[in-house]
């Protein structure tokens, strides 16, 4: 590969001028890639059919320029040696920007500043040169070197930084100065008095600048104004505005002005509070005597935080502070007397002129069921089949009370009723099957209790009792008739037989055993029945007896005498 040759169009240039460099590769063909260097730093890279580049040497002084080229032969890239080095001398631009500010000391807000931006040597004409006067990112004025740039401004901030820029080609030079500005008056603050108000309350808005340069103001007063346009407010003095708080949130700002300087305060948001309404008081769930209950207190309106106080008569009991809107205060108390609950009430306050109190607590205190008693009517009457009987369940406890009657051993209730008095009954018509043990259960919103057990014994019906003596007489008469028939038949058969019929006792009672004896020839036959199995002396209360019978006469009597004797009662 041949050694490349570097050629430049200029060796001596002025700061900001551009140099054209050409790199030659004698005898080389194909795809070549040329690189140019300023010292050790590569400044550009070109390829294919171009081998010349324009570049700007950066910085005043000597710049050592050289080049090289590369040949691409698949799959490798081959690089040549460095070319000859050429020195480019860069001379500093003779023009300089000049910034002047007057006055530069003891500058107050609102003072007028005279500012000029010019070049150091305006005799030399640089047609491509430009002057630019700026403050931060704001361009104040611009022009060319044939005239200077001037600007008159008011000091509106406490520190002013002014810059004078000179642009010549690709060269930019700057001159800057910073001016300290003394505050004429501070940014005003807007305050409300009192600091907390309710809707419709009288308020005063005070706009004031805390720091003033009285000497510089020269007796001129600050003028304060309220925005938006003193809405709902009226001027009560310089910087003082009076009015009434609105019913909604509202934003105000104020402005202080003097010597053409205006400063605006931060936004003041007025949030008028809503006064609490008279609270409501209630009990959660059922108030049961002898247990803890929860009492709630809530005002439908009112800006939180709201302080709720629970009172008993005139004695303060508990305090709760609620930070959320529409959330009730919760108090827990113990009720030991039925009349105690009505003594409670609550009050609410959120910083208003006076607290509001609720009505007294009206809630029923439920007394738990303490006892239940079951009795039967009639107490000493006829409790027998076909008659009416009433089970009466009495109890103690706060109504409404639900009463259920049960038969012993049966989980299903015979009857269920709800009553608002302390007793209720269950009537029904007796039958033999009603003999059993009975009890009742009374239940209210607090608890339930079970009564004593009553053993109900149902006696025989009266008509059955009256039937027994008749049956006995019928049996006796039948036996006498049988004996008489036997006697007649024996006479006809010419048999000397004797028959004797006897009944013991002679005058039977309802509970006596009846014995009938028939003596025929030498044989004796007995028929007996126990009347007590049908009848007792308890006026109809049935025991667990069964129906008895008179034994049938022996069959051989019937066979021998050719007659039948009714024996069963």
């Amino acid at each position: 590969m041949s050694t490349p040759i570097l050629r430049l169009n200029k060796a001596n240039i002025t700061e900001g001028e551009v140099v054209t460099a050409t790199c030659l590769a004698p005898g080389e063909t194909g795809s070549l890639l040329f690189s140019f260097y300023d010292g050790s730093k590569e400044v550009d890279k070109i390829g294919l059919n171009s081998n010349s580049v324009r570049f700007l040497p950066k910085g005043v002084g000597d710049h050592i320029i050289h080049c090289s080229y590369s040949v691409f032969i698949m799959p490798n890239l081959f690089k040549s040696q460095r070319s000859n080095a050429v020195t480019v001398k860069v001379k500093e631009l003779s023009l300089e920007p000049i910034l002047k500010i007057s006055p530069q000391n003891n500058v107050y807000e609102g003072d007028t500043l005279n500012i000029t931006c010019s070049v150091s040597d305006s005799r030399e004409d640089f047609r491509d040169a430009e002057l630019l006067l700026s403050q931060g990112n704001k361009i104040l004025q611009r022009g060319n070197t044939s005239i200077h740039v001037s600007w008159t401004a008011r000091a509106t901030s406490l520190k002013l930084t002014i810059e004078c820029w000179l642009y010549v080609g690709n060269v930019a030079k700057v001159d800057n100065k910073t001016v300290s500005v003394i505050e004429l008056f501070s940014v005003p603050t807007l305050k409300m008095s009192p600091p907390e108000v309710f809707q419709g309350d009288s308020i005063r808005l005070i706009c004031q600048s805390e720091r003033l340069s009285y000497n510089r103001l020269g007796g001129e007063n600050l003028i304060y104004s309220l925005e938006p346009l003193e809405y709902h407010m009226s001027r009560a003095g310089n910087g003082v505005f009076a009015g009434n708080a609105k019913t909604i949130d509202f934003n105000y700002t104020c402005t202080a002005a003097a010597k053409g300087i205006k400063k605006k305060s931060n936004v003041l948001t007025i949030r008028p509070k809503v006064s609490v309404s008279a609270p409501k008081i209630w009990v959660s769930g059922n108030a049961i005597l002898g247990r803890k209950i929860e009492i709630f207190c809530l005002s439908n309106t009112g800006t939180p935080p709201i302080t709720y106080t629970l009172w008993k008569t005139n004695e303060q009991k508990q305090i709760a502070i609620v930070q959320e809107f529409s959330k009730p205060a919760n108090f827990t108390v113990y009720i030991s007397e039925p009349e105690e609950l009505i003594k409670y009430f609550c009050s609410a306050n959120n910083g208003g002129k006076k607290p509001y109190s609720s009505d007294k607590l009206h809630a029923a205190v439920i007394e738990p069921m303490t006892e239940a008693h079951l009795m039967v009517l009639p107490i000493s009457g006829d409790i027998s089949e076909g008659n009416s009987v009433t089970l009466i369940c009495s109890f103690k406890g706060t109504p409404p009370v639900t009463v259920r009657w049960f038969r012993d051993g049966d989980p299903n209730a015979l009857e269920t009723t709800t009553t608002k008095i302390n007793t209720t009954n269950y009537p029904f018509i007796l039958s033999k099957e009603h003999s059993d043990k009975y009890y009742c259960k009374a239940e209210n919103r607090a608890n339930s209790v079970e009564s004593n057990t009553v053993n109900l014994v149902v006696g025989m019906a009266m008509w059955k009792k009256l039937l027994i003596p008749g049956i006995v007489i019928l049996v006796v008469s039948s036996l006498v008739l049988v004996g008489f028939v036997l006697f007649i038949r024996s006479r006809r058969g010419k048999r000397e037989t004797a028959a004797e019929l006897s009944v013991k006792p002679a005058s039977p009672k309802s509970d006596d055993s009846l014995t009938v004896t028939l003596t025929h020839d030498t044989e004796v036959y007995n028929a007996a029945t126990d009347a007590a199995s049908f009848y007792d002396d308890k006026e109809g209360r049935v025991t667990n007896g069964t129906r008895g019978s008179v034994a049938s006469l022996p069959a051989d009597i019937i066979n021998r005498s050719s007659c039948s004797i009714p024996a069963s009662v």
Side-chain angles (χ1 to χ4, degrees), residues 110 154 156 220 257-262:
R154 288 181 177 274
T156 56
E220 181 179 344
K259 289 189 174 294
I261 303 298
K262 292 184 178 181

Side-chain angles (χ1 to χ4, degrees), residues 157-168:
S157 61
L158 299 183
K159 183 175 286 189
L160 291 176
T161 299
I162 307 298
E163 297 171 332
C164 177
W165 289 90
L166 172 63
Y167 295 96
V168 181

Side-chain angles (χ1 to χ4, degrees), residues 17-63:
E17 288 188 68
V18 176
V19 174
T20 300
T22 303
C23 189
L24 303 175
E28 298 292 341
T29 59
S31 299
L32 303 179
L33 181 65
F34 293 92
S35 299
F36 296 86
Y37 300 88
D38 184 352
S40 61
K41 183 179 180 181
E42 187 177 49
V43 295
D44 209 343
K45 182 181 290 186
I46 57 175
L48 299 177
N49 298 324
S50 178
N51 62 348
S52 296
V53 65
R54 287 169 53 86
F55 69 95
L56 176 66
K58 294 182 179 180
V60 176
D62 293 345
H63 293 262

